[in-house]
Amino acid sequence: MKVLVINCGSSSLKYQLIDMTDESVLCKGLCERIGIEGSKITHKANGGEWSQEVPFPTHTEAFMKVVEMMTTGEGAVVKDKSEISAIGHRVVQGAEFFTKSEIVTDAIIDKIEEIAPLAPVHNMAHVQGLRSAKAVFGEKVPNVVVFDTTFHQTMPAKAYMYGVPYEMYEKYSIRRYGAHGTSHRYVSMAAAEYLNSSDLKMVTCHLGNGSSISAVKAGKCMDTSMGLTPLAGVLMGTRCGDLDPSVVTYMEQKLGIHGQEMADYLNKKCGLLGVSGVSSDMRDVTNAADAGNERAKLATEMLAYQIKKYIGSYAAAMGGLDCVVFTGGIGENDYRMRASVCANMGFLGISVDPEKNCKRTGDIMDISGKGSRVKVLVICTNEELMIARDTKALVEAAK
């Protein structure tokens, strides 16, 4: 079985084609600037890479180009799109309506669209991707949706409820949902397998342009840092993370902006970008800090401090800690951020070996310091494989 894994953004389409016989990636790529002038595709396959500027008015044209790149020329990996058995889609928000991955129906697409206000930056893009995939591949090819939120459905009510009138939950489903669930699920499973134990108390840190921290006990999520939407939690590339709600109302008064305009401000102009004034990319911010930019230095210190606080609070919530996992673009590659987060954490049994921490040695790295009671691991996340596995299982079960 060959599964095409899709992750749609409002103006982008990431894809991987995975052969599930051995879980190998046949090709992968990215369509950028969909609906914007200068759109292009980058396709990687057979050891090569090809880029083309192609007009993509909508996601449908992007899907058509993906099929062309996979089936023709030097980057071809299949003879025809009929070789693709199923399509797996990442969807950020499933709310309480979706507690597991699902085979797509029109009703499911409509529901994903209905709950889009809970993930305004993401869900409408996923809807566009689902409809475009059906248009290009037809009704015979099954589509599967895998939700970021389903892994977090095991949280107890005391963790996911907010201190607002209960009727807000009953009428409007206002609660903590979390995100990055496929990543937290993948790395927590990988850590349990690596440490040969299914009964671990661990904190998984998915750190990238969007970041979230989860408390995972015996393979189940007990708490997570993102909230009703992916805006909550630690400082991110352009997202503010946790705020006193009065900060928002005060800024609305001062800036004269409200509603969606304020939501866009909090999602797109804050975080590392807003604090540093340099960039939303951690690499740029770190370089600026090294060059003496005090605001950039402050941004990096804020992020490390906030992650440290989450690890400590989740250890308290779980009644102990056996393992800390770093993953995501920053978590996997920024050794200085890992060192800063774990510094002065000896009271919790956490220490990092400086030499191991600085070297990239594989998809799973044990960077624990000598005598560290808590294992500190760096695990390369593979959300696409998680989505492909769910897709395969559902399609085979439906036969």
Side-chain angles (χ1 to χ4, degrees):
M1 177 185 287
K2 295 181 178 68
V3 174
L4 179 62
V5 177
I6 298 297
N7 184 354
C8 278
S10 58
S11 62
S12 64
L13 189 161
K14 293 181 182 178
Y15 63 93
Q16 282 192 17
L17 184 63
I18 300 176
D19 187 340
M20 297 307 292
T21 57
D22 59 0
E23 297 187 338
S24 60
V25 177
L26 300 178
C27 69
K28 61 182 177 179
L30 171 65
C31 299
E32 301 176 80
R33 300 179 63 84
I34 297 171
I36 306 171
E37 187 177 349
S39 53
K40 70 173 186 176
I41 184 171
T42 301
H43 179 78
K44 298 178 181 180
N46 305 322
E49 179 177 327
W50 300 267
S51 292
Q52 292 182 21
E53 286 197 13
V54 186
F56 295 140
T58 71
H59 286 73
T60 300
E61 288 80 12
F63 264 109
M64 292 170 67
K65 189 62 181 181
V66 170
V67 171
E68 179 186 325
M69 298 294 280
M70 289 192 300
T71 58
T72 62
E74 295 180 88
V77 291
V78 291
K79 293 180 180 179
D80 187 81
K81 68 179 182 181
S82 62
E83 291 187 40
I84 297 171
S85 304
I87 305 171
H89 298 256
R90 178 224 181 182
V91 179
V92 166
Q93 180 60 267
E96 290 185 313
F97 300 104
F98 300 104
T99 58
K100 63 183 188 306
S101 301
E102 300 276 2
I103 293 179
V104 173
T105 63
D106 289 339
I108 284 176
I109 296 177
D110 291 343
K111 180 59 72 173
I112 293 170
E113 183 172 12
E114 180 185 321
I115 59 178
L118 299 179
V121 179
H122 302 89
N123 266 39
M124 285 309 301
H126 303 321
V127 168
Q128 293 172 39
L130 285 162
R131 290 178 174 153
S132 295
K134 293 183 72 174
V136 172
F137 288 89
E139 296 292 336
K140 290 185 178 180
V141 179
N143 286 266
V144 169
V145 280
V146 180
F147 298 92
D148 275 6
T149 48
T150 56
F151 179 66
H152 304 304
Q153 287 293 309
T154 53
M155 286 190 292
K158 64 183 179 182
Y160 68 69
M161 288 296 293
Y162 290 119
V164 297
Y166 196 78
E167 64 185 32
M168 292 295 102
Y169 168 66
E170 294 178 306
K171 291 182 178 179
Y172 307 115
S173 301
I174 294 175
R175 53 158 286 182
R176 182 182 305 278
Y177 290 106
H180 297 135
T182 48
S183 178
H184 289 292
R185 177 159 61 117
Y186 179 85
V187 299
S188 60
M189 289 171 60
E193 184 177 349
Y194 180 79
L195 298 174
N196 194 29
S197 175
S198 59
D199 190 25
L200 294 170
K201 298 170 183 175
M202 70 176 78
V203 176
T204 53
C205 306
H206 178 104
L207 310 176
N209 191 258
S211 298
S212 62
I213 320 295
S214 288
V216 183
K217 187 175 182 179
K220 293 183 178 181
C221 178
M222 306 307 293
D223 204 345
T224 194
S225 61
M226 284 184 168
L228 177 75
T229 74
L231 187 59
V234 299
L235 192 77
M236 296 172 240
T238 59
R239 298 177 209 157
C240 58
D242 291 337
L243 282 180
D244 176 349
S246 293
V247 172
V248 179
T249 56
Y250 187 71
M251 288 196 300
E252 284 181 330
Q253 294 170 12
K254 293 298 181 182
L255 298 175
I257 59 176
H258 305 276
Q260 189 56 51
E261 193 175 1
M262 175 53 73
D264 288 342
Y265 184 84
L266 297 172
N267 273 288
K268 300 177 181 179
K269 296 183 179 180
C270 297
L272 293 174
L273 174 64
V275 175
S276 73
V278 172
S279 173
S280 63
D281 191 305
M282 190 65 187
R283 293 166 293 190
D284 297 335
V285 176
T286 299
N287 289 338
D290 289 343
N293 186 311
E294 289 299 321
R295 282 175 54 185
K297 182 182 177 184
L298 173 63
T300 63
E301 290 176 343
M302 287 173 64
L303 177 57
Y305 177 69
Q306 291 173 12
I307 297 167
K308 188 191 295 283
K309 285 204 299 182
Y310 267 104
I311 292 173
S313 65
Y314 285 164
M318 291 187 290
L321 187 62
D322 301 308
C323 179
V324 174
V325 178
F326 290 98
T327 192
I330 296 173
E332 294 169 27
N333 299 301
D334 193 331
Y335 70 92
R336 291 200 291 181
M337 179 56 64
R338 296 193 298 259
S340 183
V341 168
C342 295
N344 302 315
M345 295 281 272
F347 73 97
L348 265 183
I350 299 172
S351 69
V352 167
D353 184 298
E355 187 174 343
K356 291 179 181 177
N357 186 37
C358 292
K359 293 180 179 178
R360 186 64 175 266
T361 56
D363 289 344
I364 299 182
M365 297 163 43
D366 184 345
I367 62 170
S368 311
K370 186 177 180 181
S372 179
R373 183 182 56 77
V374 174
K375 286 292 183 181
V376 183
L377 305 179
V378 181
I379 300 178
C380 295
T381 192
N382 197 333
E383 296 170 87
E384 291 80 10
L385 181 57
M386 201 87 265
I387 293 168
R389 286 174 177 172
D390 277 14
T391 301
K392 178 187 176 186
L394 279 174
V395 171
E396 287 185 342
K399 288 182 179 178

